[in-house]
Amino acid sequence: MTLLTPHLVGITLKKEQKEKEQKRKEKVEDRHYTIIKVARDEDLAEQIGKEMYFDLVDHDKVHAFHIQKQMPFTQFKDVVAKVFRIPVQFQRYWLWAKRQNHTYRPDRALTVQDEVQSVGQLREGNTAELKLFLEVELCLDLRPFPPPEKTKEDILLFFKFYDPLKEKIRYVGRLLVKESGKPLEILTKINEMVGFSPDEKIELFEEIKFEPNVMCKRIDSKRSFRDCEIGDGDIICFQKSLQNQCSEQYRFPQVPSFLEYMHSLQIKLNKEQEEQEQKKKEKAEAHLYKIIKVARDEDLGEQIGKEIYFDLVDHNKVHSFRIRKQMPFTQFKEEVAKEFGIPVQFQRYWLWAKRQNHTYRPIRPLTAQEEIQSVDQLREVSDKGNSAELKLFLEVDLCLDMRPFAPPGTTKEEILLFFKLYDPLKEKIRYVGRLFVKGSGTPLEMLTKLNELAGFSPDEEIELFEEIKFEPNVMCEHIDSTLSFRGSQLGDGDIICFQKSLRNQDSDQYRFPEVPLFLEYVHDLQVIKDRFPRIQSLETYFQGRK
């Protein structure tokens, strides 16, 4: 360990003190300053169709000015003139406004009265920022000239051009038009924006909103802008008319279909980005949290015979809780109660253990002493090799009306067994439940209960097999119903597979008449699938080998 000398300690403390003082100073200054974000045509052209597709601009990516709140707006225009080289007399500013449909558009031009105020007075509400659109008119030689006079009859519209062949949309400019005028009257000007011939047939669409869904409607060129409910800040998207073309050659022949596609794509990308950021965050905070995977009867019933055949559950497909390491286990139980709707008093948890034969089974219930520990301490109890996770089995007992009741008291004499039912006719195996039995008892004494689990008549003759292991080979042995569970070496977490007895039937009618044969068959299928992942249907493969 490196020891810091008094000199180095002094330097470090001075540096930290200087940083704190700078932050304090900036915080004080923030009260006297406002951020003014100025968007221009150049920003719209740079962003639309590249970084964004809806609305007009991302204000976080435009030029921002840090201005004293008391500065007169006329003086701020001088600052802008220096930065953008646009003389004051050629500048006209528009305030932005958030609409009810969540779009954000230029709403009105600043008046002479507005411009004699301070920038602090012009801010939107109590926000620390002021967002503006700077309207600048340019000659053909790109020299600016004074903006045309705007009357109440004039409205400012923004235009985007869509190319269905390239599947690209871009910003091409803006126009001041008369509200009483018609789109038909400005088609020549719109064609001029993109270099089309004056008589090129084009179709116009209004981009209305994009959240929660895209709304982009065709514009009737013969109706006035007022009748079309088009006003300041509205966006018109246009494209060449496909009237005399086969639209099927395009994936997205018209603006609305393209915008809907981009909206869906953005949702997908945003979701992926959020997931990546969440993963990064979780990775950075991993040392503070535990992942607790809780398996329940519902998981066993859902997976066995469908996704898995051996053991009891795939823990990667059960509900996971991300819990702070220091949380008491009793508090974690409350989290489970909220998630599963199982009151705390009806929950009993079992720790899992990996056996020497590579199976993974519940080994014992948590004790009252363990439940008052933190989840981090419990992790060490169950598996010291992997402290990142804690795997549990949640035992919940239900009445006939599916209401939970308190788990029964257990003694060292009782063992928890899990049961799978095999049907040789359907060649299916499924989970049917679990039972507590006495180690000194015999399977013969619980046959009625097993028949009840399977929905058989009480006196149905059944055969029992213990599923012992499946790696490297399947071991599934017949159980002598007259021997005690202890005598058959059965204990907590063991699995008993059972089926109807075939004693009085011709077993040749079945491909796999008994559980061991079926499990060996499934094991072979899984081995082949692991070795030859390109094989889509293992069943078809085996039939072809006959």
Side-chain angles (χ1 to χ4, degrees), residues 422-425 460-463 465 478 499-515 517:
Y422 173 59
D423 184 337
L425 182 62
E460 180 71 48
E461 192 175 343
I462 55 177
E463 295 179 18
F465 302 84
H478 194 278
Q499 64 179 85
K500 285 184 178 181
S501 175
L502 301 180
R503 189 183 302 179
N504 299 320
Q505 295 186 44
D506 179 12
S507 61
D508 290 341
Q509 65 180 305
Y510 306 107
R511 287 204 304 167
F512 314 108
E514 292 186 332
V515 176
L517 292 173

PDB file of all heavy atoms in Angstrom, residues 422-425 460-463 465 478 499-515 517:
ATOM      1  N   TYR A 422     -45.724 -39.955 -16.388  1.00  0.00           N
ATOM      2  CA  TYR A 422     -45.390 -40.311 -17.768  1.00  0.00           C
ATOM      3  C   TYR A 422     -46.557 -41.042 -18.413  1.00  0.00           C
ATOM      4  O   TYR A 422     -47.165 -41.941 -17.824  1.00  0.00           O
ATOM      5  CB  TYR A 422     -44.143 -41.201 -17.813  1.00  0.00           C
ATOM      6  CG  TYR A 422     -43.839 -41.753 -19.191  1.00  0.00           C
ATOM      7  CD1 TYR A 422     -43.610 -40.895 -20.271  1.00  0.00           C
ATOM      8  CD2 TYR A 422     -43.795 -43.130 -19.424  1.00  0.00           C
ATOM      9  CE1 TYR A 422     -43.346 -41.387 -21.538  1.00  0.00           C
ATOM     10  CE2 TYR A 422     -43.512 -43.630 -20.686  1.00  0.00           C
ATOM     11  CZ  TYR A 422     -43.302 -42.753 -21.752  1.00  0.00           C
ATOM     12  OH  TYR A 422     -43.040 -43.262 -22.999  1.00  0.00           O
ATOM     13  N   ASP A 423     -46.870 -40.659 -19.676  1.00  0.00           N
ATOM     14  CA  ASP A 423     -47.922 -41.310 -20.462  1.00  0.00           C
ATOM     15  C   ASP A 423     -47.251 -41.977 -21.660  1.00  0.00           C
ATOM     16  O   ASP A 423     -46.830 -41.287 -22.605  1.00  0.00           O
ATOM     17  CB  ASP A 423     -48.941 -40.272 -20.926  1.00  0.00           C
ATOM     18  CG  ASP A 423     -50.127 -40.907 -21.665  1.00  0.00           C
ATOM     19  OD1 ASP A 423     -49.970 -42.028 -22.202  1.00  0.00           O
ATOM     20  OD2 ASP A 423     -51.197 -40.278 -21.704  1.00  0.00           O
ATOM     21  N   PRO A 424     -47.123 -43.319 -21.676  1.00  0.00           N
ATOM     22  CA  PRO A 424     -46.430 -44.008 -22.781  1.00  0.00           C
ATOM     23  C   PRO A 424     -47.179 -43.933 -24.114  1.00  0.00           C
ATOM     24  O   PRO A 424     -46.564 -44.060 -25.169  1.00  0.00           O
ATOM     25  CB  PRO A 424     -46.326 -45.456 -22.285  1.00  0.00           C
ATOM     26  CG  PRO A 424     -47.418 -45.595 -21.291  1.00  0.00           C
ATOM     27  CD  PRO A 424     -47.587 -44.264 -20.640  1.00  0.00           C
ATOM     28  N   LEU A 425     -48.499 -43.692 -24.062  1.00  0.00           N
ATOM     29  CA  LEU A 425     -49.272 -43.593 -25.297  1.00  0.00           C
ATOM     30  C   LEU A 425     -48.976 -42.257 -26.000  1.00  0.00           C
ATOM     31  O   LEU A 425     -48.720 -42.213 -27.203  1.00  0.00           O
ATOM     32  CB  LEU A 425     -50.773 -43.718 -24.994  1.00  0.00           C
ATOM     33  CG  LEU A 425     -51.709 -43.687 -26.213  1.00  0.00           C
ATOM     34  CD1 LEU A 425     -51.405 -44.870 -27.140  1.00  0.00           C
ATOM     35  CD2 LEU A 425     -53.167 -43.712 -25.776  1.00  0.00           C
ATOM     36  N   GLU A 460     -56.010 -47.321  -8.998  1.00  0.00           N
ATOM     37  CA  GLU A 460     -55.250 -47.538 -10.236  1.00  0.00           C
ATOM     38  C   GLU A 460     -53.867 -48.080  -9.887  1.00  0.00           C
ATOM     39  O   GLU A 460     -53.178 -47.567  -9.002  1.00  0.00           O
ATOM     40  CB  GLU A 460     -55.098 -46.227 -10.997  1.00  0.00           C
ATOM     41  CG  GLU A 460     -54.316 -46.341 -12.306  1.00  0.00           C
ATOM     42  CD  GLU A 460     -55.077 -47.085 -13.385  1.00  0.00           C
ATOM     43  OE1 GLU A 460     -56.258 -46.757 -13.601  1.00  0.00           O
ATOM     44  OE2 GLU A 460     -54.487 -47.997 -14.009  1.00  0.00           O
ATOM     45  N   GLU A 461     -53.469 -49.151 -10.596  1.00  0.00           N
ATOM     46  CA  GLU A 461     -52.156 -49.737 -10.346  1.00  0.00           C
ATOM     47  C   GLU A 461     -51.100 -48.924 -11.091  1.00  0.00           C
ATOM     48  O   GLU A 461     -51.197 -48.722 -12.304  1.00  0.00           O
ATOM     49  CB  GLU A 461     -52.139 -51.193 -10.824  1.00  0.00           C
ATOM     50  CG  GLU A 461     -50.922 -51.966 -10.346  1.00  0.00           C
ATOM     51  CD  GLU A 461     -50.978 -53.442 -10.730  1.00  0.00           C
ATOM     52  OE1 GLU A 461     -52.069 -53.929 -11.080  1.00  0.00           O
ATOM     53  OE2 GLU A 461     -49.920 -54.094 -10.698  1.00  0.00           O
ATOM     54  N   ILE A 462     -50.100 -48.453 -10.349  1.00  0.00           N
ATOM     55  CA  ILE A 462     -49.063 -47.604 -10.964  1.00  0.00           C
ATOM     56  C   ILE A 462     -47.673 -48.142 -10.624  1.00  0.00           C
ATOM     57  O   ILE A 462     -47.501 -48.889  -9.657  1.00  0.00           O
ATOM     58  CB  ILE A 462     -49.172 -46.136 -10.510  1.00  0.00           C
ATOM     59  CG1 ILE A 462     -49.134 -46.024  -8.980  1.00  0.00           C
ATOM     60  CG2 ILE A 462     -50.418 -45.474 -11.077  1.00  0.00           C
ATOM     61  CD1 ILE A 462     -49.168 -44.592  -8.467  1.00  0.00           C
ATOM     62  N   GLU A 463     -46.715 -47.746 -11.458  1.00  0.00           N
ATOM     63  CA  GLU A 463     -45.327 -48.141 -11.248  1.00  0.00           C
ATOM     64  C   GLU A 463     -44.490 -46.895 -10.998  1.00  0.00           C
ATOM     65  O   GLU A 463     -44.687 -45.862 -11.648  1.00  0.00           O
ATOM     66  CB  GLU A 463     -44.797 -48.892 -12.477  1.00  0.00           C
ATOM     67  CG  GLU A 463     -45.508 -50.218 -12.725  1.00  0.00           C
ATOM     68  CD  GLU A 463     -44.985 -50.934 -13.963  1.00  0.00           C
ATOM     69  OE1 GLU A 463     -43.872 -50.571 -14.409  1.00  0.00           O
ATOM     70  OE2 GLU A 463     -45.681 -51.816 -14.482  1.00  0.00           O
ATOM     71  N   PHE A 465     -40.640 -44.921 -10.464  1.00  0.00           N
ATOM     72  CA  PHE A 465     -39.230 -44.940 -10.844  1.00  0.00           C
ATOM     73  C   PHE A 465     -38.557 -43.708 -10.235  1.00  0.00           C
ATOM     74  O   PHE A 465     -39.139 -42.623 -10.195  1.00  0.00           O
ATOM     75  CB  PHE A 465     -39.060 -44.899 -12.365  1.00  0.00           C
ATOM     76  CG  PHE A 465     -39.741 -46.025 -13.093  1.00  0.00           C
ATOM     77  CD1 PHE A 465     -41.089 -45.944 -13.423  1.00  0.00           C
ATOM     78  CD2 PHE A 465     -39.039 -47.172 -13.436  1.00  0.00           C
ATOM     79  CE1 PHE A 465     -41.731 -46.976 -14.094  1.00  0.00           C
ATOM     80  CE2 PHE A 465     -39.668 -48.210 -14.114  1.00  0.00           C
ATOM     81  CZ  PHE A 465     -41.015 -48.114 -14.440  1.00  0.00           C
ATOM     82  N   HIS A 478     -36.314 -48.553 -11.094  1.00  0.00           N
ATOM     83  CA  HIS A 478     -37.617 -48.955 -10.563  1.00  0.00           C
ATOM     84  C   HIS A 478     -37.587 -48.900  -9.034  1.00  0.00           C
ATOM     85  O   HIS A 478     -36.587 -49.258  -8.405  1.00  0.00           O
ATOM     86  CB  HIS A 478     -37.945 -50.381 -11.027  1.00  0.00           C
ATOM     87  CG  HIS A 478     -39.377 -50.753 -10.807  1.00  0.00           C
ATOM     88  ND1 HIS A 478     -39.850 -51.185  -9.591  1.00  0.00           N
ATOM     89  CD2 HIS A 478     -40.438 -50.748 -11.660  1.00  0.00           C
ATOM     90  CE1 HIS A 478     -41.143 -51.444  -9.685  1.00  0.00           C
ATOM     91  NE2 HIS A 478     -41.525 -51.179 -10.941  1.00  0.00           N
ATOM     92  N   GLN A 499     -46.175 -43.983 -13.662  1.00  0.00           N
ATOM     93  CA  GLN A 499     -47.031 -44.211 -14.820  1.00  0.00           C
ATOM     94  C   GLN A 499     -48.002 -45.340 -14.488  1.00  0.00           C
ATOM     95  O   GLN A 499     -47.823 -46.061 -13.514  1.00  0.00           O
ATOM     96  CB  GLN A 499     -46.187 -44.612 -16.029  1.00  0.00           C
ATOM     97  CG  GLN A 499     -45.459 -45.945 -15.838  1.00  0.00           C
ATOM     98  CD  GLN A 499     -44.646 -46.357 -17.054  1.00  0.00           C
ATOM     99  OE1 GLN A 499     -43.515 -45.948 -17.208  1.00  0.00           O
ATOM    100  NE2 GLN A 499     -45.245 -47.181 -17.915  1.00  0.00           N
ATOM    101  N   LYS A 500     -49.011 -45.483 -15.325  1.00  0.00           N
ATOM    102  CA  LYS A 500     -49.927 -46.613 -15.151  1.00  0.00           C
ATOM    103  C   LYS A 500     -49.166 -47.915 -15.409  1.00  0.00           C
ATOM    104  O   LYS A 500     -48.292 -47.973 -16.282  1.00  0.00           O
ATOM    105  CB  LYS A 500     -51.097 -46.511 -16.127  1.00  0.00           C
ATOM    106  CG  LYS A 500     -52.144 -45.470 -15.767  1.00  0.00           C
ATOM    107  CD  LYS A 500     -53.315 -45.504 -16.743  1.00  0.00           C
ATOM    108  CE  LYS A 500     -54.389 -44.490 -16.356  1.00  0.00           C
ATOM    109  NZ  LYS A 500     -55.535 -44.543 -17.294  1.00  0.00           N
ATOM    110  N   SER A 501     -49.502 -48.929 -14.652  1.00  0.00           N
ATOM    111  CA  SER A 501     -48.850 -50.225 -14.836  1.00  0.00           C
ATOM    112  C   SER A 501     -49.268 -50.844 -16.164  1.00  0.00           C
ATOM    113  O   SER A 501     -50.441 -50.766 -16.568  1.00  0.00           O
ATOM    114  CB  SER A 501     -49.225 -51.161 -13.684  1.00  0.00           C
ATOM    115  OG  SER A 501     -48.694 -52.449 -13.919  1.00  0.00           O
ATOM    116  N   LEU A 502     -48.299 -51.433 -16.871  1.00  0.00           N
ATOM    117  CA  LEU A 502     -48.577 -52.095 -18.165  1.00  0.00           C
ATOM    118  C   LEU A 502     -48.561 -53.616 -18.007  1.00  0.00           C
ATOM    119  O   LEU A 502     -48.433 -54.352 -18.990  1.00  0.00           O
ATOM    120  CB  LEU A 502     -47.530 -51.660 -19.206  1.00  0.00           C
ATOM    121  CG  LEU A 502     -47.433 -50.144 -19.494  1.00  0.00           C
ATOM    122  CD1 LEU A 502     -46.347 -49.891 -20.542  1.00  0.00           C
ATOM    123  CD2 LEU A 502     -48.765 -49.609 -19.976  1.00  0.00           C
ATOM    124  N   ARG A 503     -48.699 -54.064 -16.758  1.00  0.00           N
ATOM    125  CA  ARG A 503     -48.593 -55.498 -16.469  1.00  0.00           C
ATOM    126  C   ARG A 503     -49.574 -56.322 -17.300  1.00  0.00           C
ATOM    127  O   ARG A 503     -49.233 -57.404 -17.784  1.00  0.00           O
ATOM    128  CB  ARG A 503     -48.831 -55.738 -14.976  1.00  0.00           C
ATOM    129  CG  ARG A 503     -48.527 -57.196 -14.566  1.00  0.00           C
ATOM    130  CD  ARG A 503     -48.836 -57.440 -13.119  1.00  0.00           C
ATOM    131  NE  ARG A 503     -48.076 -56.532 -12.250  1.00  0.00           N
ATOM    132  CZ  ARG A 503     -48.190 -56.530 -10.926  1.00  0.00           C
ATOM    133  NH1 ARG A 503     -49.035 -57.346 -10.322  1.00  0.00           N
ATOM    134  NH2 ARG A 503     -47.465 -55.692 -10.214  1.00  0.00           N
ATOM    135  N   ASN A 504     -50.792 -55.834 -17.474  1.00  0.00           N
ATOM    136  CA  ASN A 504     -51.817 -56.596 -18.191  1.00  0.00           C
ATOM    137  C   ASN A 504     -52.000 -56.111 -19.633  1.00  0.00           C
ATOM    138  O   ASN A 504     -53.038 -56.351 -20.252  1.00  0.00           O
ATOM    139  CB  ASN A 504     -53.152 -56.492 -17.442  1.00  0.00           C
ATOM    140  CG  ASN A 504     -53.043 -57.074 -16.037  1.00  0.00           C
ATOM    141  OD1 ASN A 504     -52.400 -58.096 -15.832  1.00  0.00           O
ATOM    142  ND2 ASN A 504     -53.680 -56.409 -15.067  1.00  0.00           N
ATOM    143  N   GLN A 505     -50.999 -55.409 -20.155  1.00  0.00           N
ATOM    144  CA  GLN A 505     -51.087 -54.902 -21.532  1.00  0.00           C
ATOM    145  C   GLN A 505     -49.921 -55.410 -22.365  1.00  0.00           C
ATOM    146  O   GLN A 505     -48.916 -55.872 -21.826  1.00  0.00           O
ATOM    147  CB  GLN A 505     -51.060 -53.366 -21.542  1.00  0.00           C
ATOM    148  CG  GLN A 505     -52.254 -52.709 -20.888  1.00  0.00           C
ATOM    149  CD  GLN A 505     -52.204 -51.197 -21.071  1.00  0.00           C
ATOM    150  OE1 GLN A 505     -51.901 -50.708 -22.165  1.00  0.00           O
ATOM    151  NE2 GLN A 505     -52.516 -50.462 -20.008  1.00  0.00           N
ATOM    152  N   ASP A 506     -50.106 -55.310 -23.685  1.00  0.00           N
ATOM    153  CA  ASP A 506     -49.034 -55.663 -24.608  1.00  0.00           C
ATOM    154  C   ASP A 506     -48.123 -54.435 -24.745  1.00  0.00           C
ATOM    155  O   ASP A 506     -48.477 -53.459 -25.423  1.00  0.00           O
ATOM    156  CB  ASP A 506     -49.622 -56.051 -25.969  1.00  0.00           C
ATOM    157  CG  ASP A 506     -48.525 -56.403 -26.970  1.00  0.00           C
ATOM    158  OD1 ASP A 506     -47.356 -56.561 -26.539  1.00  0.00           O
ATOM    159  OD2 ASP A 506     -48.831 -56.502 -28.175  1.00  0.00           O
ATOM    160  N   SER A 507     -46.949 -54.475 -24.121  1.00  0.00           N
ATOM    161  CA  SER A 507     -46.065 -53.316 -24.129  1.00  0.00           C
ATOM    162  C   SER A 507     -45.455 -53.039 -25.504  1.00  0.00           C
ATOM    163  O   SER A 507     -44.905 -51.969 -25.743  1.00  0.00           O
ATOM    164  CB  SER A 507     -44.938 -53.490 -23.099  1.00  0.00           C
ATOM    165  OG  SER A 507     -44.154 -54.635 -23.419  1.00  0.00           O
ATOM    166  N   ASP A 508     -45.578 -54.000 -26.436  1.00  0.00           N
ATOM    167  CA  ASP A 508     -45.004 -53.815 -27.775  1.00  0.00           C
ATOM    168  C   ASP A 508     -45.713 -52.708 -28.562  1.00  0.00           C
ATOM    169  O   ASP A 508     -45.189 -52.219 -29.570  1.00  0.00           O
ATOM    170  CB  ASP A 508     -45.062 -55.125 -28.575  1.00  0.00           C
ATOM    171  CG  ASP A 508     -44.095 -56.163 -28.020  1.00  0.00           C
ATOM    172  OD1 ASP A 508     -43.168 -55.754 -27.285  1.00  0.00           O
ATOM    173  OD2 ASP A 508     -44.274 -57.365 -28.293  1.00  0.00           O
ATOM    174  N   GLN A 509     -46.912 -52.347 -28.121  1.00  0.00           N
ATOM    175  CA  GLN A 509     -47.650 -51.301 -28.841  1.00  0.00           C
ATOM    176  C   GLN A 509     -47.071 -49.905 -28.577  1.00  0.00           C
ATOM    177  O   GLN A 509     -47.435 -48.940 -29.236  1.00  0.00           O
ATOM    178  CB  GLN A 509     -49.134 -51.326 -28.447  1.00  0.00           C
ATOM    179  CG  GLN A 509     -49.381 -50.984 -26.978  1.00  0.00           C
ATOM    180  CD  GLN A 509     -50.837 -51.016 -26.600  1.00  0.00           C
ATOM    181  OE1 GLN A 509     -51.653 -50.339 -27.229  1.00  0.00           O
ATOM    182  NE2 GLN A 509     -51.181 -51.827 -25.614  1.00  0.00           N
ATOM    183  N   TYR A 510     -46.172 -49.822 -27.601  1.00  0.00           N
ATOM    184  CA  TYR A 510     -45.571 -48.537 -27.261  1.00  0.00           C
ATOM    185  C   TYR A 510     -44.107 -48.501 -27.698  1.00  0.00           C
ATOM    186  O   TYR A 510     -43.394 -49.491 -27.572  1.00  0.00           O
ATOM    187  CB  TYR A 510     -45.632 -48.280 -25.757  1.00  0.00           C
ATOM    188  CG  TYR A 510     -47.022 -48.384 -25.180  1.00  0.00           C
ATOM    189  CD1 TYR A 510     -47.388 -49.484 -24.394  1.00  0.00           C
ATOM    190  CD2 TYR A 510     -47.973 -47.397 -25.410  1.00  0.00           C
ATOM    191  CE1 TYR A 510     -48.661 -49.587 -23.858  1.00  0.00           C
ATOM    192  CE2 TYR A 510     -49.249 -47.492 -24.875  1.00  0.00           C
ATOM    193  CZ  TYR A 510     -49.589 -48.586 -24.100  1.00  0.00           C
ATOM    194  OH  TYR A 510     -50.846 -48.688 -23.562  1.00  0.00           O
ATOM    195  N   ARG A 511     -43.662 -47.368 -28.186  1.00  0.00           N
ATOM    196  CA  ARG A 511     -42.246 -47.214 -28.540  1.00  0.00           C
ATOM    197  C   ARG A 511     -41.386 -47.218 -27.281  1.00  0.00           C
ATOM    198  O   ARG A 511     -40.313 -47.813 -27.246  1.00  0.00           O
ATOM    199  CB  ARG A 511     -42.010 -45.907 -29.303  1.00  0.00           C
ATOM    200  CG  ARG A 511     -42.505 -45.897 -30.724  1.00  0.00           C
ATOM    201  CD  ARG A 511     -41.758 -44.865 -31.560  1.00  0.00           C
ATOM    202  NE  ARG A 511     -41.837 -43.511 -30.984  1.00  0.00           N
ATOM    203  CZ  ARG A 511     -41.063 -42.506 -31.398  1.00  0.00           C
ATOM    204  NH1 ARG A 511     -40.150 -42.716 -32.341  1.00  0.00           N
ATOM    205  NH2 ARG A 511     -41.188 -41.303 -30.862  1.00  0.00           N
ATOM    206  N   PHE A 512     -41.886 -46.513 -26.262  1.00  0.00           N
ATOM    207  CA  PHE A 512     -41.147 -46.403 -25.004  1.00  0.00           C
ATOM    208  C   PHE A 512     -42.119 -46.707 -23.872  1.00  0.00           C
ATOM    209  O   PHE A 512     -42.711 -45.797 -23.287  1.00  0.00           O
ATOM    210  CB  PHE A 512     -40.555 -44.993 -24.849  1.00  0.00           C
ATOM    211  CG  PHE A 512     -39.882 -44.492 -26.106  1.00  0.00           C
ATOM    212  CD1 PHE A 512     -40.461 -43.495 -26.871  1.00  0.00           C
ATOM    213  CD2 PHE A 512     -38.691 -45.059 -26.542  1.00  0.00           C
ATOM    214  CE1 PHE A 512     -39.867 -43.056 -28.030  1.00  0.00           C
ATOM    215  CE2 PHE A 512     -38.079 -44.626 -27.699  1.00  0.00           C
ATOM    216  CZ  PHE A 512     -38.667 -43.621 -28.459  1.00  0.00           C
ATOM    217  N   PRO A 513     -42.306 -47.994 -23.586  1.00  0.00           N
ATOM    218  CA  PRO A 513     -43.352 -48.384 -22.634  1.00  0.00           C
ATOM    219  C   PRO A 513     -43.117 -47.899 -21.209  1.00  0.00           C
ATOM    220  O   PRO A 513     -44.079 -47.669 -20.475  1.00  0.00           O
ATOM    221  CB  PRO A 513     -43.352 -49.910 -22.710  1.00  0.00           C
ATOM    222  CG  PRO A 513     -42.022 -50.283 -23.277  1.00  0.00           C
ATOM    223  CD  PRO A 513     -41.637 -49.174 -24.173  1.00  0.00           C
ATOM    224  N   GLU A 514     -41.859 -47.709 -20.782  1.00  0.00           N
ATOM    225  CA  GLU A 514     -41.606 -47.302 -19.405  1.00  0.00           C
ATOM    226  C   GLU A 514     -40.747 -46.038 -19.348  1.00  0.00           C
ATOM    227  O   GLU A 514     -40.031 -45.705 -20.299  1.00  0.00           O
ATOM    228  CB  GLU A 514     -40.929 -48.434 -18.628  1.00  0.00           C
ATOM    229  CG  GLU A 514     -41.856 -49.629 -18.402  1.00  0.00           C
ATOM    230  CD  GLU A 514     -41.229 -50.682 -17.512  1.00  0.00           C
ATOM    231  OE1 GLU A 514     -39.982 -50.773 -17.500  1.00  0.00           O
ATOM    232  OE2 GLU A 514     -41.970 -51.402 -16.831  1.00  0.00           O
ATOM    233  N   VAL A 515     -40.825 -45.364 -18.221  1.00  0.00           N
ATOM    234  CA  VAL A 515     -40.131 -44.090 -18.015  1.00  0.00           C
ATOM    235  C   VAL A 515     -38.651 -44.146 -18.398  1.00  0.00           C
ATOM    236  O   VAL A 515     -38.164 -43.272 -19.138  1.00  0.00           O
ATOM    237  CB  VAL A 515     -40.273 -43.616 -16.547  1.00  0.00           C
ATOM    238  CG1 VAL A 515     -39.468 -42.334 -16.317  1.00  0.00           C
ATOM    239  CG2 VAL A 515     -41.729 -43.391 -16.190  1.00  0.00           C
ATOM    240  N   LEU A 517     -36.922 -45.871 -20.519  1.00  0.00           N
ATOM    241  CA  LEU A 517     -36.720 -45.915 -21.975  1.00  0.00           C
ATOM    242  C   LEU A 517     -37.008 -44.550 -22.604  1.00  0.00           C
ATOM    243  O   LEU A 517     -36.287 -44.091 -23.495  1.00  0.00           O
ATOM    244  CB  LEU A 517     -37.618 -46.983 -22.596  1.00  0.00           C
ATOM    245  CG  LEU A 517     -37.276 -48.436 -22.250  1.00  0.00           C
ATOM    246  CD1 LEU A 517     -38.354 -49.380 -22.784  1.00  0.00           C
ATOM    247  CD2 LEU A 517     -35.914 -48.817 -22.832  1.00  0.00           C
TER     248      LEU A 517
END
